[in-house]
Amino acid sequence: MNPTVYFVIPCYNEQEVLEETVKRLTAKLGAMGGQGLAGPKSRVLLVDDGSKDRTWEIIARLHKENRLVEGVKLAHNRGHQHALLCGLMTAMPLCDCAISLDADLQDDVDALDQFVAKYLEGCDVVYGVRNKRDTDTWFKRTTAEGFYKVMKLLGVDVVFNHADYRLMSRRALEGLSEYKEVNLFLRGIVPLIGYRSDYVYYDRHERFAGESKYPLKKMISLALDGITSFSVKPLKLISNFGILISILSVFGLLYALVSYFAGWAVSGWTAIVCSIWLLGGLQMLCLGVVGGYIGKIYSEVKARPRYRVEELLQQEETGPEPTGSKK
Ligand code: UDP
Ligand code: MG
């Protein structure tokens, strides 16, 4: 039986690209059906993220004209990550696997078969990874690659050069639904879900039409969400900094005392310098201790699932005796 595949596409003010995108994706879905990669219930699901232009009108019309097109409209603009989550959660009970991609045809449509092929081989998550970034400006390339490196340094498990072009099986989506956090950074959550995963490498194209909906402000806010939602290392850094200042303060103290006894210091200077160094170090250390507790509260509040069972092997006789069998 061919898998039911959903293409999930968040759209924000995408009136210029929608028709072409849907044309390409429905044609692709048809072709994949012929190759045994997509079942008859497969669909293209468009999520309107509170667009201010004619995006929803176009989605509604395409839905009427084409039985492969479905739509969901958010009541307001919640941003790419939330729109994507909404699409994935809408698709979850209806599909075997869902592939998320951008509305602007930057994610290579021809690579879609490879995602499903990997799913059929038994992968639950397939990450689309960009071969190169030559379609990006120098600024975007440098900042994006720098961001992945900082994330690695902070101990966050993210796939290098993977954005949100990705396939997730239904059970991976169910795993995702257990993450209730509000500050969403899907690229960080998906690797936490586990299961077998693989990569598909693709060339990212230029935006087909329209402008990027990710201005610098949104990019920075996504990057900060990525860091602050996944790493408590910055808090730990405060403690380390406190220890460093405390060690330095010993030298500062020694220098102040030597100056005092050698008679280089004006009266009162030694006491001030000693207290500044000692108190500075102490304050940093205390902040670090408080930070340690805040870090714990932060992970408790997230209430992320603690584990996920992939398979369970049990013998038939395992478990409590059925009632009535007791003598
Ligand atoms: N998007 C969205 N809500 C937003 C911003 C963007 O749903 O608030 C969608 C947008 O329509 C597109 C995808 O997110 O399908 C990626 O945005 P874009 O292509 O503008 O980002 P870029 O490729 O420039 O990083
Ligand atoms: Mg884009």
Side-chain angles (χ1 to χ4, degrees):
M1 184 63 181
N2 297 345
T4 300
V5 183
Y6 263 65
F7 297 155
V8 177
I9 299 130
C11 312
Y12 179 56
N13 295 344
E14 298 286 11
Q15 60 184 15
E16 291 95 350
V17 297
L18 262 184
E19 305 241 5
E20 181 63 22
T21 302
V22 168
K23 203 166 100 190
R24 294 271 302 274
L25 288 177
T26 47
K28 186 71 193 173
L29 211 49
M32 285 167 70
Q35 295 161 347
L37 293 172
K41 289 190 175 160
S42 300
R43 297 286 181 268
V44 175
L45 175 63
L46 304 161
V47 184
D48 177 13
D49 183 17
S51 300
K52 294 179 182 67
D53 65 359
R54 290 177 42 252
T55 297
W56 182 247
E57 274 171 64
I58 297 173
I59 294 175
R61 179 168 53 73
L62 291 169
H63 166 70
K64 259 196 197 145
E65 289 168 7
N66 190 333
R67 58 166 202 89
L68 293 179
V69 178
E70 294 184 347
V72 44
K73 183 180 193 311
L74 293 190
H76 46 183
N77 178 233
R78 285 295 287 125
H80 170 235
Q81 298 286 292
H82 286 92
L84 186 52
L85 182 71
C86 163
L88 293 174
M89 292 301 108
T90 310
M92 181 173 75
L94 309 169
C95 70
D96 292 314
C97 61
I99 305 176
S100 48
L101 63 169
D102 287 358
D104 53 13
L105 295 173
Q106 282 195 286
D107 300 326
D108 186 14
V109 172
D110 293 326
L112 283 164
D113 319 55
Q114 295 175 49
F115 281 84
V116 179
K118 300 250 186 214
Y119 166 76
L120 292 175
E121 282 167 20
C123 289
D124 282 278
V125 181
V126 185
Y127 300 101
V129 176
R130 304 173 58 157
N131 275 329
K132 45 191 183 312
R133 280 187 167 267
D134 51 6
T135 51
D136 280 349
T137 58
W138 174 87
F139 180 74
K140 184 141 188 174
R141 185 167 60 235
T142 320
T143 47
E145 290 188 342
F147 169 68
Y148 288 108
K149 284 178 191 150
V150 170
M151 290 295 272
K152 271 258 143 42
L153 225 75
L154 292 174
V156 188
D157 185 13
V158 280
V159 178
F160 193 71
N161 271 345
H162 157 70
D164 283 297
Y165 189 20
R166 133 179 25 90
L167 174 145
M168 293 177 79
S169 68
R170 187 196 294 207
R171 71 173 177 170
L173 291 170
E174 283 164 355
L176 176 65
S177 71
E178 290 170 24
Y179 288 77
K180 305 289 182 199
E181 51 207 86
V182 180
N183 296 294
L184 260 192
F185 184 69
L186 291 169
R187 276 166 244 185
I189 300 177
V190 176
L192 297 180
I193 296 171
Y195 297 132
R196 202 175 131 191
S197 64
D198 208 339
Y199 308 97
V200 163
Y201 295 89
Y202 71 100
D203 289 333
R204 194 161 161 97
H205 305 296
E206 298 275 2
R207 190 174 234 283
F208 166 71
E211 286 169 3
S212 171
K213 308 299 179 302
Y214 256 103
L216 187 62
K217 203 172 130 210
K218 275 192 191 170
M219 258 167 66
I220 293 175
S221 128
L222 180 71
L224 285 180
D225 260 350
I227 292 171
T228 52
S229 300
F230 284 87
S231 180
V232 285
K233 275 213 176 152
L235 289 175
K236 288 192 178 141
L237 281 179
I238 300 179
S239 291
N240 296 347
F241 198 55
I243 293 171
L244 184 77
I245 299 263
S246 299
I247 293 172
L248 285 179
S249 82
V250 174
F251 292 102
L253 274 176
L254 284 177
Y255 174 68
L257 287 175
V258 169
S259 307
Y260 175 73
F261 286 114
W264 307 326
V266 287
S267 91
W269 177 81
T270 315
I272 291 176
V273 164
C274 290
S275 23
I276 287 176
W277 278 95
L278 266 179
L279 282 178
L282 216 69
Q283 278 175 343
M284 271 290 175
L285 257 179
C286 293
L287 263 183
V289 172
V290 174
Y293 285 95
I294 293 181
K296 299 269 181 243
I297 298 172
Y298 158 99
S299 30
E300 294 291 345
V301 165
K302 279 186 191 293
R304 284 181 177 165
R306 278 170 279 195
Y307 55 82
R308 182 163 300 100
V309 175
E310 183 159 350
E311 274 177 55
L312 180 64
L313 298 175
Q314 278 187 326
Q315 303 294 356
E316 262 173 35
E317 61 268 22
T318 312
E321 294 265 300
T323 43
S325 70
K326 281 185 198 146
K327 286 185 190 135

